[in-house]
Amino acid sequence: MPHAIRLHQHGGPEVLSWETIDLPAPAPGEATVRHGAVGLNYIDVYHRTGLYPLALPSGIGMEGAGVVEAVGEGVSELRVGDRVAYAGGPLGAYADVRNIPAHRLLKLPDSIPFETGAAMMLQGLTAAYLLRKTYRVQPGDAVLIQAAAGGVGLIACQWARALGATVIGTVGSPAKAELARAHGCHHVINYSTENFAQRVREITNGEGVAVVYDGVGKDTFAGSLDSLRPMGMMVSFGNASGPVPPLDLILLSQKGSLFITRPTLMNYTAKREDLVALGSELFDVVVAGQVKIEVNQSYALKDAAQAHRDLEARKTTGSTILLP
C-alpha cells in the first residue's frame, strides 16, 4: 500500500503523520507519479505551522520527481514511463506515489537524476522567476542575495553570476561563507558579525545594489532596504526569520524612491506557458553546468519530522530531499 505524510493539525514537526493511503486511478486531466525523490522546502514549515493555513486534514509538500505510472482521460502531453518533475500545488508531494494535475508536470531531461530534479524545482523555479521576471538581472548589475548558502541562494548566486552580475551574498557562519563563495558569490558578508548594509555600500563604492533578493524576512528587511541604490528593487520572497512588520510607505521615498514586491512562484507559473518557459530556462542552465544543484542532505520520507527540525534549526545547507 502507498504511504504519505499527512497533517491533522498545525504545530511542530511532531504533527507530521506517516500513514497508509488509498490512491484512486487518476481523474481526467491527472497523472499518477511514483516519486524517485521529494523536495523539502521552508514553505513546508509554513504550511505545517499554520503560518499559511491549510484545510485539514491535508497532505504536505510541493515538489517531487519521478515516473508517470498512469494518465487520466484527456492527458495528451504525457505518457506512461515519462520522467517528470514539478513544483507548486496542489500539496501532497510527501508521498510514495500521488495523483497530480498533468499540466503542472514538466518532462525532466534524461541527464538530470530524480534526486537533483526533486531538489531543484521549487528553489530553481523560484530563482528563475526572481532573476528573469521579477527583476531581470543585467550584466554589470550588483545584486544582494540574502541567505546565499540556502537552497534558493546557492542556485540564485550561480545563475546571477552566469548572467554577468556582481554577486554579494550574506550568510550566518564561516562555513556557509565558503559554500557561498564556491557557488558564485564575488563578495560574502557574515551578517552575524558584520553590518551587511554598511558592507554593501563599501563594496559598491557607496552606490548600493540594483536589487535585493530577501527570503529571510524580519531580521534582514531593514538592512535590505538600506542596501539599495536609488530606484532599486526590494524583492521580499520569504520570511524564514519571521514575518516582516508593517511598513510605512514613506520610507521608500526617503530611501531613494525604492520599489518593493512580495512575489510568489504560484503567480509566476499560473499559466502553463509561463511554467514551461521558466522550467526550460532552469533545465538549460543546469544541463549546461552553469548552475550546480547541491543536494547536501537526504532523509527517509517517513523521517520528514526530523528533516523539518534540522531545517528550522538552520542545520542544513543547499537542498534537502526525502526518499520514499
Side-chain angles (χ1 to χ4, degrees):
M1 293 290 289
H3 292 80
I5 296 286
R6 302 280 293 170
L7 282 176
H8 296 273
Q9 61 183 348
H10 293 300
E14 69 280 357
V15 303
L16 297 173
S17 176
W18 178 245
E19 300 177 5
T20 301
I21 59 169
D22 292 319
L23 189 71
E30 289 187 336
T32 302
V33 176
R34 180 163 295 278
H35 288 133
V38 172
L40 174 74
N41 295 279
Y42 218 96
I43 195 171
D44 302 345
V45 173
Y46 301 159
H47 287 141
R48 190 202 76 224
T49 61
L51 179 64
Y52 296 172
L54 304 178
L56 300 175
S58 174
I60 188 172
M62 296 188 67
E63 72 176 338
V67 175
V68 174
E69 285 197 335
V71 295
E73 182 181 348
V75 175
S76 59
E77 292 187 42
L78 297 172
R79 297 180 179 179
V80 172
D82 280 348
R83 304 175 77 253
V84 294
Y86 65 90
L91 300 182
Y94 287 20
D96 299 332
V97 59
R98 70 172 299 192
N99 294 330
I100 188 169
H103 72 273
R104 304 310 300 169
L105 297 170
L106 296 174
K107 291 185 180 180
L108 187 67
D110 290 340
S111 59
I112 299 179
F114 291 135
E115 293 81 1
T116 304
M120 68 186 269
M121 294 303 294
L122 192 61
Q123 295 166 347
L125 288 172
T126 297
Y129 87 73
L130 291 173
L131 297 169
R132 310 311 293 143
K133 295 291 186 180
T134 305
Y135 175 88
R136 192 170 180 85
V137 172
Q138 302 297 318
D141 280 342
V143 306
L144 175 61
I145 299 173
Q146 302 282 16
V152 174
L154 290 179
I155 296 172
C157 288
Q158 295 176 80
W159 201 337
R161 185 167 184 143
L163 292 169
T166 296
V167 184
I168 306 169
T170 65
V171 297
S173 71
K176 289 187 176 182
E178 288 304 312
L179 193 62
R181 286 191 188 94
H183 291 82
C185 277
H186 295 91
H187 307 276
V188 182
I189 304 167
N190 186 337
Y191 49 49
S192 65
T193 60
E194 300 178 90
N195 181 320
F196 72 82
Q198 181 178 322
R199 284 286 294 124
V200 166
R201 292 291 171 182
E202 294 169 359
I203 292 166
T204 60
N205 297 315
E207 181 179 356
V209 296
V211 60
V212 179
Y213 297 112
D214 190 334
V216 176
K218 177 174 62 70
D219 290 353
T220 54
F221 185 80
S224 291
L225 291 180
D226 288 337
S227 300
L228 286 164
R229 72 186 185 192
M231 293 168 287
M233 171 71 81
M234 171 65 186
V235 184
S236 177
F237 69 95
N239 29 262
S241 67
V244 174
L247 173 69
D248 185 350
L249 289 179
I250 197 68
L251 284 174
L252 301 181
S253 63
Q254 293 171 346
K255 293 180 181 294
S257 298
L258 303 180
F259 294 86
I260 187 167
T261 184
R262 182 59 164 87
T264 70
L265 175 63
M266 283 66 80
N267 292 132
Y268 278 88
T269 58
K271 295 180 180 178
R272 172 70 179 174
E273 57 267 32
D274 293 333
L275 172 62
V276 171
L278 283 174
S280 179
E281 288 202 67
L282 174 61
F283 294 151
D284 285 349
V285 294
V286 172
V287 170
Q290 293 176 307
V291 171
K292 294 179 172 60
I293 306 300
E294 295 287 338
V295 183
N296 291 342
Q297 298 83 210
S298 64
Y299 300 79
L301 178 57
K302 64 182 178 62
D303 296 330
Q306 186 59 49
H308 275 230
R309 292 186 188 98
D310 291 347
L311 181 65
E312 289 182 275
R314 300 190 181 186
K315 293 181 179 179
T316 65
T317 60
S319 298
T320 301
I321 57 171
L322 307 172
L323 299 175

